[in-house]
Amino acid sequence: MELLFLGILVLLMITALISGFPVAFSLPGSSIITIGLAALAGWIFADNPDAYFHEGGPVQWLSAGVTNFRSLYWNVERDTLIAIPLFIFMGIMLQRSKVAEDLLVTMAQLFGPVPGGLGISVVIVGALLAATTGIVGATVIAMGMISLPAMLRNKYSHSLATGTICASGTLGQIIPPSIVLIILADQLSNAADQASAMRKAAYREITGEFSMPSVLDITSASAGDMFMGAFIPGLLLVALYILYILFTAIIRPKMAPPIGYSGAYDRQFLVKVLMALLPPLTLIFVVLGSILMGVATVNQAGAVGAVGAMLMAGYRLHDRDEKRYWPAFIAISAVICLGFIVANFNLNIKSINTDEDRLGVTLGLIASAALLMAIAWSGWRVFKTGTTLHEVMGETAKTTSMVFIILIGAAMLTSAFRAFGGEELVKHMLTSLPGGFWVQFFVVMVVIFVLGFFLDFIEIAVVVVPIVAPILLADPSANVTAVWLGVMIGLNIQTSFLTPPFGFALFYLRGVADQVVKTLSIYKGVVPFIGLQILALIITGFFPSLVNYLPNRTYLTSESAPPPMNPRIQPCLEEQVLTLYANQKISLVAAIDSMAAADTSYVSSAAAQMLDDSLTKARQTFVKVESIYQAKAELTDFEQNYEPLHQQVREIQLNVRRNKRLVEDAKLQLRRLDDIELNADRRSNLAIRIDELGLLNQRLEASIPAVWATQRPIFEKLNKAEKQSRNQYRRNADEAYEGITEMRLWISQAPELAELEPGVAELAANIDQLDAKDAMSAIKLQERNLGEFAGVSSIKSKLSKARRALKGSKYNPEKAKGYHSEAMALLTAEITWRKRALTDMVPALVSYDLAIKDSIGLRLQERMSDDVATTVSACMASHKDISLQF
């Protein structure tokens, strides 16, 4: 019965959408009606409103929908959605202020003489507008009204002209900042959490271990990561468009003839180009650059973009006097001043202590006031120019409301879909497909592509993604990142604007195109660009580093980058280090030998022993590395024959677990059917189903090859040996480098340690002149002071014995002075050798540290160098099969 109501849910939704009923009401309406029908049918026919739900009941699933609704607004972790109205405002403001028009006209004049130059200029402007507006409708309409007449006048093919405009207008869906990327990031964040729970449960069920190593966990996605991940694929798509137009213009010149520019390419034209290009390019750099460099969050960057668009509109719409650029000039000056003030003054109001701090805060307030004045001035200009501000605010409110209402409706629909077992059904269908992850992924991509013929990108993102993304992300055989999956879905969804019959970009252009342009020409024109989008999708799929590299690089080189000790980066970090050992073994051994040859005759026995242990472990590093190579080779050799067996058995076990869940579901339904007379047939069918599944599981378990019982333990043993070899290497390398860092710390503390010597020396007089309690307090104080230094435990021990010799009935000042004398002798000797080491040994230690810090000592550095981070980023950008760990 659950499948019946699942079909009713889908049928209601499709019928509502096809009939033109608003999406915002179609999604939740279908959900509420279907849940109500299921509850009513259960109450009438089974005397239980919960009877026809996969699990739970109508109240629980309606509550789940409400919870999802509340989480859109009250869940702090999903505050990225706040950026949506900010970017929408930025895009509409730039479009209404005619910045896009200036850009199009100027680019057409610049590239016109090149074969296909007008089309290329449309693509470039489309990319620039995508990075500033991200609004498909506004971009297509603006370019259709400005560029299409010019292209038609200059004998451009109707199909090529319209296809170029439509395709360029859709770039805003993949080039950040993009609303669809923000929505996908929000949906994938939840999907990654679900996938992580699924993977951990599978790991626990298969291995019996309750804690899964973090290196096997899912890599989630934030909006900032999505922006960075989509950046290179977006540029790839732009390059494909330009190459296609250029190739077409060269092969068939009549389709895209070059256009001469009647004016002169002089200084005045250069100024015109710069004035058209620099403001939007600056805005792109500020908005995207602040995100990519980790300076601002997506929300903060959205606010900056909205303010920047307001400033640009302020001078573009106001051209009546010489003060046209004053607000923008004041704002730029204020921002520069604020940057200088932040870099040179302490602006933390809670810690103002000096006149300099007060000056910095005062200057900051003045600069902030100037910036606010410039923004208010620009806002007033926009407000007074016709109804521009009113229209922009109204469009922003309507578009934002539409997005959020659809998100709420999709949350209700997803809840209802899960209520009738839809998620389990989809999971079963996908996981039962032969071919593993890539077949599942291909099917999902095809479904999304087909849905794009009929549904809007938001509907696909919020309805399909929450259902299929957890299943795809949880699969360890591909181990894809959420960012990569999101960008792939984003590229696929982009085609929904071009695919007939409901391609919105086609409708937008049809609405502004001249009647001489036939609708069929528009449809024909977008076909090659749909093919280019699919080609970009294929390229991105085969080369995941195009997506994953930039987010990894930005993260690993940022101020908040994890230390090299971080477990998640160890596999790639060790890949880099092991290569370095192979290339630099001779120089590393020479550095160790050079350090070992240093004169240590004057240092303390503890320091000498520590240095000797450190160098011994440094030499053992190469033995540990060989152990890793050997263990890895043995494991790799075994995996070649073991992997097919593993996949076969895990597939059988997956089916067994799935059948067991079906048995549990059937038993649950059986317990719900209390009335034997009314439900006798239903109970009989369920009992038969349970017996059939039990027999099927017996046959499945019997089909597991007998060799599995011997091969799996061998794999586990080899896998454990490989992990142990790596852990032994890590522990050995850390201890080798810790000795050097500790030695340098001991020596560096020589001057401060020497300052304690007079105070410790006075303790002898204190023992003679003070009573026992005061003398013990004085000794205790010196013990505390020594506690701040490394390598002085023996001195502290002597002082502690001296203090105890003055305690209570054990009071013995002579014995205390004896211990104090020993402490003084140790302290003097310690200070002496450390001071000598400052000049005699530190240069050798520094040279040795420089030689090994990027290899033996890499894990204990505070952060990776940019070169190492770049290499590790490239390594982490590729997907690695980890299915054998499950």
Side-chain angles (χ1 to χ4, degrees), residues 463-574:
V463 174
V464 178
V465 172
I467 297 170
V468 300
I471 301 169
L472 296 176
L473 290 174
D475 193 316
S477 64
N479 194 32
V480 300
T481 63
V483 175
W484 178 84
L485 181 61
V487 171
M488 293 293 290
I489 293 174
L491 281 168
N492 198 347
I493 288 176
Q494 187 182 354
T495 62
S496 68
F497 282 91
L498 299 181
T499 48
F502 300 121
F504 289 97
L506 311 180
F507 293 153
Y508 294 143
L509 184 60
R510 177 68 279 174
V512 297
D514 192 277
Q515 292 299 319
V516 72
V517 178
K518 305 299 182 184
T519 302
L520 182 61
S521 297
I522 299 177
Y523 284 6
K524 287 171 58 180
V526 298
V527 170
F529 291 95
I530 294 174
L532 293 174
Q533 289 177 341
I534 295 174
L535 176 60
L537 189 67
I538 294 172
I539 294 173
T540 306
F542 274 102
F543 300 98
S545 56
L546 293 175
V547 175
N548 294 326
Y549 174 75
L550 197 54
N552 289 336
R553 169 73 182 273
T554 304
Y555 175 53
L556 294 179
T557 57
S558 67
E559 292 296 326
S560 59
M565 184 72 75
N566 187 285
R568 290 186 68 90
I569 66 175
Q570 290 310 299
C572 286
L573 187 71
E574 284 173 7

Side-chain angles (χ1 to χ4, degrees), residues 105 122 139 198 254 309 349 377 414 489 493 508 555 563 571 580 602 614 637 656 731 805 809 848 855 869:
V105 172
V122 170
T139 304
M198 292 165 60
K254 291 183 179 180
I349 297 178
W377 192 352
T414 302
I489 293 174
I493 288 176
Y508 294 143
Y555 175 53
L580 191 146
Y602 57 89
S614 173
D637 290 342
V656 169
R731 185 165 54 250
S809 60
Y848 178 57
S855 53

Side-chain angles (χ1 to χ4, degrees), residues 27 31 64-65 68-69 71-72 406-416 462:
L27 302 184
S31 310
N68 288 335
F69 157 74
S71 70
L72 291 173
I406 291 175
L407 285 172
I408 295 167
M412 294 293 296
L413 182 69
T414 302
S415 175
V462 300

Side-chain angles (χ1 to χ4, degrees), residues 294-308:
V295 176
T297 65
V298 174
N299 293 341
Q300 294 164 346
V304 171
V307 169

Side-chain angles (χ1 to χ4, degrees), residues 35-50:
I35 289 176
L37 287 174
L40 180 63
W43 178 63
I44 293 175
F45 298 110
D47 198 26
N48 182 2
D50 301 350

Side-chain angles (χ1 to χ4, degrees), residues 43 83 138 150 208 226 234 237 385 387 389 408 418 439 456 504 559 610 616 627 641 685 702 738 767 848 850-851 866:
W43 178 63
M226 289 293 293
L237 201 54
T385 305
T387 59
L389 186 60
I408 295 167
R418 289 171 177 158
V439 173
D456 190 9
F504 289 97
E559 292 296 326
M610 181 175 65
T616 300
S627 298
N641 296 322
N685 291 335
E738 282 171 350
I767 294 172
Y848 178 57
L850 289 173
D866 287 347

